[in-house]
């Protein structure tokens, strides 16, 4: 639980020795928790930070949550079954 100070401390400890950090939250969600690119890259300048979101980081749907089933439905792949 990264909202708990102990969880955030554990995440920092892991990131300090990590090579890559991959997250798939809504844009800005980890910034609010102090775990965004700006903070983590200061802790570990060599960190590769990859942020993936269902609807991208800009645009009208950027704030929306996305899950596998939603992606399958919106892409049309469900019609192929």
């Amino acid at each position: 639980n990264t909202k708990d100070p102990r969880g955030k401390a554990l995440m920092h400890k892991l990131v300090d020795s990590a090579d890559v950090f991959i997250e798939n939250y809504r844009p800005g969600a980890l910034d609010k928790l102090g775990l965004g690119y700006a903070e983590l890259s200061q802790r570990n300048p060599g960190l590769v930070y990859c942020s993936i979101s269902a609807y991208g980081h800009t645009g009208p749907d950027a704030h929306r949550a996305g899950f596998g089933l939603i992606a399958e439905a919106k892409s049309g792949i469900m019609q192929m079954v």
Side-chain angles (χ1 to χ4, degrees), residues 4-22:
D4 182 299
R6 295 171 297 173
K8 185 176 176 182
L10 176 60
M11 184 65 84
H12 282 163
K13 183 178 177 181
L14 292 170
V15 166
D16 288 346
S17 63
D19 294 321
V20 178
F21 181 84
I22 301 172

Side-chain angles (χ1 to χ4, degrees), residues 18-57:
D19 294 321
V20 178
F21 181 84
I22 301 172
E23 59 94 353
N24 66 339
Y25 289 88
R26 293 179 194 174
L30 289 183
D31 290 326
K32 292 176 187 174
L33 295 172
L35 296 170
Y37 174 76
E39 181 173 336
L40 297 187
S41 65
Q42 284 183 342
R43 296 183 66 88
N44 182 346
L47 185 69
V48 174
Y49 189 105
C50 179
S51 180
I52 303 166
S53 79
Y55 294 98
H57 289 250

